């Protein structure tokens, strides 16, 4: 980990306080060479002046909006527990009456629900949580440095209890690993029981490009040593997909139809454009004084 004084923080309505991550998710697209990391991914760059930069940027904004966090790197890496940069940034968002849309895999977000609850009362706060597998043991292989899915489910329930709307990123579903109806059922059951507002699903599969592809294949080889479910998987991926960027499951149509039917039945918003639009919509009238 190393500390820097960044020049900017918003681009234009989202921010990444950290550059790099310690969650170790085997499928992480942020490792791709196209993002031009100049340091090792695990040597996390900490933008130590992020709260001050955010305050300066929000003071200059003519129009209030939702501020997104975690689009590139999770704001709730373990180091955040001591550094508290994310918490300080949420305090800035609250102070200037903006909205917050947080994306994470970590239950550390529970620490900051007091601020998010206050933001949601004044404007709007949304907690977005990534869920990939209902099997906590499999989760430890796919996402070894972060809390298991069952803990993230507890986060979603607590947000719902506090009136904070939630969105589940149902992605990625890795071909031949967690692209099963059993796993989809488990995740959807979590979503329904937690009262999530919406699900973002980008199809059944993942993306692989230079940088994250090599890391993913090395992780499959490592997993195969300890778990027979992963035996021969790297070779199967190479044979089936080659160097394709979009790696779609052969079960995609079947599972997407099933997810769509489930969401209609349980009144959960599903989509990409529509869900992103809902997340980004800022309640313009939330701060207007009452005429009465």
């Amino acid at each position: 980990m190393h500390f820097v004084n960044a020049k900017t923080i918003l681009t234009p309505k989202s921010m990444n306080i950290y550059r790099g991550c310690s969650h170790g998710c085997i499928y992480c697209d942020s490792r791709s060479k196209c993002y031009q990391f100049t340091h090792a991914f695990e040597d996390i760059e900490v933008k130590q002046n992020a709260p001050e930069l955010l305050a300066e940027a929000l003071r200059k904004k003519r129009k209030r909006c939702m501020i997104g966090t975690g689009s590139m790197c999770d704001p709730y890496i373990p180091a955040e527990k001591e550094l508290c940069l994310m918490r300080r940034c949420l305090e800035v968002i609250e102070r200037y009456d903006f909205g917050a849309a947080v994306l994470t895999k970590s239950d550390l977000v529970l620490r900051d629900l007091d601020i998010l609850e206050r933001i949601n009362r004044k404007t709007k706060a949304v907690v977005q949580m990534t869920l990939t597998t209902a099997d906590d043991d499999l989760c430890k292989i796919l996402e070894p440095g972060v809390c298991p899915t069952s803990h993230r489910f507890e986060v979603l329930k607590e947000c719902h209890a506090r009136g904070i709307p939630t969105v589940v990123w149902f992605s990625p579903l890795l071909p031949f690993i967690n692209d099963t109806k059993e796993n989809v059922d488990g995740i959807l059951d979590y979503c329904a029981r937690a009262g999530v507002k919406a699900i973002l699903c980008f199809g059944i599969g993942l993306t692989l490009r230079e940088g994250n592809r090599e890391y993913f294949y090395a992780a499959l080889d490592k997993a195969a040593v300890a778990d027979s479910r992963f035996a021969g998987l790297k070779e199967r991926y190479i044979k089936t997909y080659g160097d394709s960027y979009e790696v779609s499951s052969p079960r995609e149509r079947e599972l997407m139809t099933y997810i769509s039917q489930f969401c209609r039945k349980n009144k959960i918003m599903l989509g990409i454009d529509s869900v992103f639009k809902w997340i980004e919509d800022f309640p313009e009238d939330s701060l207007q004084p009452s005429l009465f």
Side-chain angles (χ1 to χ4, degrees):
M1 183 181 299
H2 62 283
F3 295 80
V4 301
N5 285 316
K7 294 181 179 179
T8 59
I9 193 68
L10 286 182
T11 56
K13 298 179 182 179
S14 66
M15 63 178 179
N16 286 288
I17 300 168
Y18 303 104
R19 185 165 167 80
C21 188
S22 55
H23 289 342
C25 303
I26 71 172
Y27 50 75
C28 182
D29 178 72
S30 294
R31 293 179 179 273
S32 300
K33 287 191 175 180
C34 64
Y35 297 117
Q36 299 178 337
F37 272 77
T38 56
H39 55 85
F41 195 71
E42 289 78 10
D43 178 20
I44 299 167
E45 180 179 284
V46 179
K47 299 175 185 177
Q48 60 187 353
N49 59 335
E52 293 78 15
L53 286 175
L54 181 61
E56 181 182 2
L58 297 190
R59 276 197 302 267
K60 294 178 179 178
K61 273 195 174 291
R62 295 182 178 181
K63 190 175 182 181
R64 293 185 178 92
C65 60
M66 299 295 292
I67 303 299
T69 69
S71 58
M72 179 74 178
C73 297
D74 200 311
Y76 287 104
I77 59 172
E80 166 62 20
K81 187 173 183 180
E82 285 73 40
L83 295 174
C84 293
L85 289 173
M86 179 59 182
R87 183 171 179 85
R88 289 173 58 199
C89 284
L90 287 175
E91 290 171 343
V92 171
I93 290 171
E94 179 190 9
R95 185 186 318 143
Y96 289 97
D97 295 326
F98 281 72
V102 178
L103 172 61
T104 184
K105 291 186 179 81
S106 173
D107 55 0
L108 182 55
V109 69
L110 288 169
R111 180 199 65 187
D112 296 339
L113 288 192
D114 58 332
I115 305 177
L116 288 165
E117 192 173 11
R118 293 197 301 268
I119 292 172
N120 195 50
R121 289 198 202 105
K122 294 168 66 177
T123 56
K124 179 180 174 183
V126 180
V127 172
Q128 305 164 79
M129 186 69 68
T130 300
L131 305 183
T132 59
T133 173
D135 182 341
D136 279 358
D137 289 332
L138 181 58
C139 182
K140 291 175 184 176
I141 298 173
L142 303 184
E143 302 156 341
V146 68
C147 68
T149 307
S150 58
H151 291 195
R152 298 178 220 173
F153 168 57
E154 296 299 327
V155 172
L156 293 168
K157 287 199 302 180
E158 182 62 22
C159 288
H160 183 70
R162 294 184 182 220
I164 301 170
T166 55
V167 174
V168 163
W169 286 55
F170 201 161
S171 176
L173 291 174
L174 310 176
F176 322 128
I177 299 174
N178 62 339
D179 61 336
T180 65
K181 187 173 179 296
E182 179 185 12
N183 183 53
V184 168
D185 271 331
I187 297 292
L188 291 176
D189 179 62
Y190 275 151
C191 291
R193 289 163 57 198
V196 304
K197 170 76 175 180
I199 289 174
L200 272 168
C201 186
F202 302 92
I204 312 300
L206 75 159
T207 57
L208 290 177
R209 49 188 163 188
E210 188 178 7
N212 78 310
R213 180 186 294 110
E214 291 78 6
Y215 186 85
F216 178 65
Y217 284 166
L220 291 183
D221 277 342
K222 182 179 178 181
V225 174
D227 193 317
S228 61
R229 290 177 293 181
F230 289 82
L233 265 185
K234 182 182 81 172
E235 291 73 20
R236 189 176 182 184
Y237 266 82
I238 293 171
K239 181 178 179 180
T240 306
Y241 302 108
D243 290 333
S244 297
Y245 168 58
E246 294 185 358
V247 176
S248 297
S249 166
R251 299 174 175 174
E252 180 165 31
R253 180 177 295 183
E254 167 201 348
L255 293 178
M256 285 301 297
T257 298
Y258 183 73
I259 292 169
S260 179
Q261 291 172 344
F262 182 94
C263 287
R264 280 197 299 270
K265 180 180 178 182
N266 290 273
K267 298 181 180 179
I268 298 173
M269 188 187 305
L270 176 69
I272 297 176
D273 293 342
S274 59
V275 175
F276 275 129
K277 183 180 184 304
W278 176 81
I279 293 170
E280 294 168 3
D281 279 346
F282 183 78
E284 296 289 350
D285 59 349
S286 60
L287 297 171
Q288 292 179 1
S290 171
L291 295 176
F292 307 99

